């Protein structure tokens, strides 16, 4: 077996391919033609650049171009092939005295060059390599097309997941709230999700979350997270047996415990905002875990505040107990929840839409119905972005408080007025115990009533200590209200406002009355809120509820 046969066996393609040979020297042309035919190719011989352009087709897998040809020369043919047949990389044929032209041709996209005179094995090996390069380029294009189609299918599957599993619907006709929601999908599916949960007839929960990342993995993680929220809520319903509803902070804490290992294994995290609306109490309780800040439009004062918390996103290794916050609202107030895709939308000039623009927009459009507001938000973002196709999904949920929310059914009311002296604490205890036993009559309620007594004593001592600087002779008013499934105890005073964040950490070995502060109060009741009313009174309200 000679060298040429060895090269042919090693490099010959699986099937014949068309190779165009262009040279104005007839002898060179015939040598090339015989060599390539013997190697199993299908040579097409031409003598000018014009003939090359006429014979090029999708069947062509290699081209040999003499640099110096009459009319259209080899370099001009090379430029044409680069434009019209970019998968081809021609081989340049040159005489020994113009190698510089061949090198120049390679810089412009030629596969390689060969110098006359040449040996047949050189030609066979070089053409075979060029054909292999061509075939690999074709296979790469086919692979890229397959990946593109797979990606389109992934986006379709993930979008179906998002629409069917991640995006919830509010309960129909929930009293006291007008709700509208919208998600504008992008070409990149992500893990944004939201859902509405109705635990009872008095409250409605809304969870808005964003899983880090894009694509089907983020969508599946979002679906799993939503499933955990629903599982925790349902397990709570089954195990509560009529006792207090689980607080939002405890729901988020339980979900985090379920998901933390999965999130850390995937090196992912989730930002979320969990909100619970109490229309009849005009109160929103929320847990913020690093999510974008929802807007609260106050109808009475015509200004907007931002709802913010202090919790880390789910999935971070440093996990502290989640803390919830309470805000009051009034009729015609509007809450706007959204994902970062909205405020991070960019204009054609590269400007971010941003939080300030959204605040100004809500201020100008808060009087609209929520459906109209949502449509106006979409129109605003489309106009700002300059297109209806976005680089990121964005979610928007608008909630307006009805002008005439249904009042709670009041079962009973009692009031106690007393002086800012520590010897009044026993009167407070008796008042709490008698009112509690009147409406909390089950045997299992006895320990709760004892805890409420202790919380009331601690709260009263805090008022005496903080609001009145331990000075006697100042009035404190305690109002007790009983409703179906909940009781409130409200402590009113005209002293200095109390900030629970300034209270020192509890001394657990100190005296039992007046030493445990905020810690005891928060552990003994379902909710504690601090506010100042229209009569310029400080109000500390303890809430005890059962579902």
């Amino acid at each position: 077996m000679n060298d040429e046969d060895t090269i042919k066996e090693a490099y010959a393609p699986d099937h014949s391919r068309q190779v165009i040979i262009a040279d104005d020297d007839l002898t060179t042309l015939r040598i090339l033609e015989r060599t390539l035919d013997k190697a199993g190719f299908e040579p097409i011989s031409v003598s000018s650049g014009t003939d090359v352009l006429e014979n090029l087709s999708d069947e062509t897998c290699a081209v040999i171009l003499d640099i110096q040809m009459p009319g259209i020369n080899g370099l001009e043919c090379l430029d044409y092939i680069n434009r019209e047949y970019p998968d081809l990389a021609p081989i340049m044929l040159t005489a020994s005295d113009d190698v510089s032209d061949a090198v120049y041709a390679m810089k412009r996209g030629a596969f390689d060059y060969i110098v006359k005179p040449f040996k047949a094995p050189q030609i066979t090996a070089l053409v075979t390599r060029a054909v292999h390069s061509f075939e690999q380029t074709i296979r790469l294009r086919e692979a890229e097309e397959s990946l593109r189609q797979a990606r389109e299918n992934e986006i379709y599957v993930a979008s179906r997941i998002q629409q069917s599993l991640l995006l919830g619907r509010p309960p129909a006709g929930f009293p006291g709230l007008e709700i509208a929601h919208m998600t504008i999908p992008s070409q990149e599916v992500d893990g944004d999700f939201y859902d509405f949960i109705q635990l009872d007839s008095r409250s409605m929960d809304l969870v808005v979350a964003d899983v880090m990342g894009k694509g089907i993995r983020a969508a599946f993680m979002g679906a799993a997270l939503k499933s955990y929220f629903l599982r925790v809520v349902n397990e709570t319903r089954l195990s509560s047996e009529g006792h207090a509803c689980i607080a939002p902070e405890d729901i988020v804490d339980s979900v985090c415990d379920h998901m933390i290992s999965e999130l850390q294994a995937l090196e992912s995290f989730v930002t979320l905002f969990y909100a619970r609306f109490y229309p009849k109490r005009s109160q929103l309780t929320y847990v913020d875990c690093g999510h974008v800040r929802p807007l609260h439009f106050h109808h009475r004062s015509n200004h907007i505040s931002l709802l913010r918390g202090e919790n880390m996103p789910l999935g971070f290794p440093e996990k502290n107990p989640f803390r919830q916050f309470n805000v009051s609202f009034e009729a015609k107030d509007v809450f706007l929840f959204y994902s970062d895709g909205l405020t991070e939308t960019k204009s054609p000039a590269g400007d971010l839409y941003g939080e300030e623009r959204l605040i100004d927009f809500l201020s100008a459009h808060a009087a609209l119905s929520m459906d109209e507001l949502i449509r106006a938000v979409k129109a605003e973002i489309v106009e700002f972005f300059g297109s209806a196709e976005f680089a990121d999904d964005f979610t928007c949920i608008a909630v307006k408080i009805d002008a005439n929310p249904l009042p709670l059914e009041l079962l009973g009311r009692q009031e106690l007025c007393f002086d800012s002296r520590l010897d009044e604490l026993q009167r407070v205890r008796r008042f709490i115990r008698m009112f509690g036993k009147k409406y909390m009559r089950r045997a299992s309620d006895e320990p709760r009533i004892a805890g409420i007594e202790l919380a009331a004593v601690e709260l009263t001592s805090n008022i005496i200590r903080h609001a009145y600087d331990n000075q006697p002779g100042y009035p404190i008013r305690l109002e007790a209200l009983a409703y179906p499934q909940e009781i409130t105890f409200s402590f009113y005073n005209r002293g200095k406002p109390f900030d629970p964040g300034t209270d020192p950490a509890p001394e657990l070995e100190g005296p039992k009355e007046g030493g445990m502060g905020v810690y005891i109060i928060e552990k003994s009741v379902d909710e504690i809120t601090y506010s100042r009313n229209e009569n310029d009174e400080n109000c500390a309200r303890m809430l005890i509820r059962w579902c």
Side-chain angles (χ1 to χ4, degrees), residues 10 19 69 93 119 141 204 232 278 314 340 477 487 535:
V19 180
M69 290 187 294
L93 194 62
K119 294 181 179 181
R141 286 191 181 277
M204 187 205 71
V232 168
Y278 295 102
L314 275 63
D340 58 8
R477 179 167 61 91
I487 291 176
N535 297 321

Side-chain angles (χ1 to χ4, degrees), residues 325-529:
F325 298 85
N326 301 295
V327 295
S328 298
F329 53 72
E330 297 179 315
K332 298 184 180 181
D333 281 10
V334 175
F335 292 89
L336 191 67
F337 305 88
Y338 58 95
S339 64
D340 58 8
L342 195 158
T343 48
E344 292 179 2
T345 297
K346 288 186 178 181
S347 70
D351 298 324
L352 285 175
Y353 185 77
E355 188 178 72
E356 288 301 321
R357 279 192 178 91
L358 187 60
I359 290 172
D360 293 341
F361 179 84
L362 181 58
S363 294
H365 296 84
L368 297 175
S369 72
M370 294 301 92
D371 285 332
E372 291 172 336
L373 178 62
I374 288 293
R375 288 195 295 268
V377 169
K378 179 178 180 180
E380 166 85 354
I381 297 301
V382 168
E383 181 179 0
F384 181 82
F385 184 61
S387 171
E389 294 184 358
F390 296 90
D392 195 5
D393 287 6
F394 78 74
T395 294
C396 189
I397 302 107
V399 181
K400 176 176 279 188
I401 309 304
D402 284 351
N404 298 301
L406 297 175
L408 283 169
E409 178 188 357
L410 183 62
L411 302 180
R413 178 185 180 278
Q414 290 185 23
E415 188 171 279
L416 174 68
C417 295
F418 56 96
D419 191 66
S420 58
R421 301 193 315 271
L422 291 178
D423 59 10
E424 294 275 30
L425 294 180
Q426 289 302 320
R427 289 183 63 200
V428 173
R429 272 188 181 275
R430 288 194 297 271
F431 178 84
I432 296 291
R433 185 183 310 120
M434 293 178 60
F435 192 85
K437 286 185 175 182
K438 182 175 181 180
Y439 297 100
M440 302 170 66
R441 300 173 180 173
R442 298 167 303 186
S444 58
D445 290 329
E446 286 288 343
R448 297 202 71 203
I449 294 173
I452 298 165
E453 289 180 39
L454 181 56
V457 167
E458 292 297 336
L459 185 52
T460 302
S461 66
N462 280 342
I463 292 172
I464 295 171
R465 179 160 50 99
H466 287 274
Y468 293 132
D469 294 325
N470 291 311
Q471 298 298 313
Y474 292 96
I476 301 174
R477 179 167 61 91
L478 171 55
E479 179 186 48
L481 301 174
Y483 303 98
Q485 301 180 328
E486 70 180 44
I487 291 176
T488 63
F489 294 99
S490 300
F491 296 75
Y492 296 93
N493 70 85
R494 294 183 179 274
K496 294 182 296 185
F498 172 58
D499 178 5
T502 63
D503 202 44
E507 297 290 341
L508 299 181
E509 296 181 357
K512 295 303 181 185
E513 292 189 355
M516 301 290 285
V518 174
Y519 180 81
I520 276 291
I521 299 169
E522 290 184 346
K523 293 300 180 182
S524 301
V525 301
D526 292 305
E527 291 180 10
I528 174 72
T529 58

Side-chain angles (χ1 to χ4, degrees), residues 167-212:
L167 308 181
R169 292 183 176 276
F174 188 84
L177 303 177
E178 178 190 351
I179 305 170
H181 56 102
M182 168 191 65
T183 291
I184 296 183
S186 67
Q187 295 177 350
E188 293 282 342
V189 176
D190 57 24
D192 285 7
F193 82 86
Y194 59 85
D195 203 4
F196 304 86
I197 304 169
Q198 185 176 350
L199 288 171
D200 53 44
S201 61
R202 300 173 296 114
S203 64
M204 187 205 71
D205 293 5
L206 166 64
V207 56
V208 183
D210 185 3
V211 179
M212 183 193 74

Side-chain angles (χ1 to χ4, degrees), residues 53-235:
L53 304 188
E54 290 178 353
N55 283 275
L56 282 169
S57 71
D58 291 338
E59 298 298 319
T60 306
C61 65
V63 180
I64 300 176
L65 297 173
D66 185 20
I67 291 178
Q68 301 297 331
M69 290 187 294
I72 301 175
N73 63 35
L75 295 178
E76 292 170 328
C77 287
L78 174 63
D79 291 338
Y80 177 84
I81 290 171
N82 286 339
R83 290 194 309 269
E84 303 298 328
Y85 296 88
D87 295 338
L88 287 173
I91 298 167
M92 309 309 293
L93 194 62
T94 183
S96 59
D97 60 348
D98 61 358
V99 172
S100 60
D101 288 339
V103 174
Y104 175 70
M106 290 188 64
K107 292 180 180 178
R108 293 168 65 171
F111 178 75
D112 207 336
Y113 71 93
I114 192 164
V115 180
K116 301 176 186 177
F118 49 80
K119 294 181 179 181
Q122 290 179 287
I123 291 293
T124 302
L126 193 55
V127 171
T128 301
R129 284 169 45 210
V131 170
H132 284 175
S133 176
F134 171 78
E135 292 174 338
Q136 289 173 358
T137 301
I138 295 298
R139 285 194 290 269
L140 179 60
R141 286 191 181 277
E142 292 173 348
E144 289 174 346
E145 176 63 19
S146 297
L147 286 173
R148 185 189 65 79
Q149 293 178 0
R151 179 60 177 159
E152 287 181 354
N153 184 62
E154 177 184 337
I155 291 174
Y156 172 76
V157 171
S159 65
R160 295 285 300 197
I161 293 172
Q162 191 171 41
Q163 292 297 323
S164 61
L165 298 181
L166 300 185
L167 308 181
R169 292 183 176 276
F174 188 84
L177 303 177
E178 178 190 351
I179 305 170
H181 56 102
M182 168 191 65
T183 291
I184 296 183
S186 67
Q187 295 177 350
E188 293 282 342
V189 176
D190 57 24
D192 285 7
F193 82 86
Y194 59 85
D195 203 4
F196 304 86
I197 304 169
Q198 185 176 350
L199 288 171
D200 53 44
S201 61
R202 300 173 296 114
S203 64
M204 187 205 71
D205 293 5
L206 166 64
V207 56
V208 183
D210 185 3
V211 179
M212 183 193 74
K214 301 287 184 183
I216 199 165
R217 188 182 79 164
F220 271 123
M221 182 61 71
L225 186 65
K226 177 180 173 181
S227 174
Y228 275 121
F229 270 105
L230 296 177
R231 181 188 301 180
V232 168
V233 169
N234 288 330
E235 287 176 351

Side-chain angles (χ1 to χ4, degrees), residues 169 199 257 269 271 378 539:
R169 292 183 176 276
L199 288 171
D257 288 342
F269 64 87
T271 67
K378 179 178 180 180
C539 175

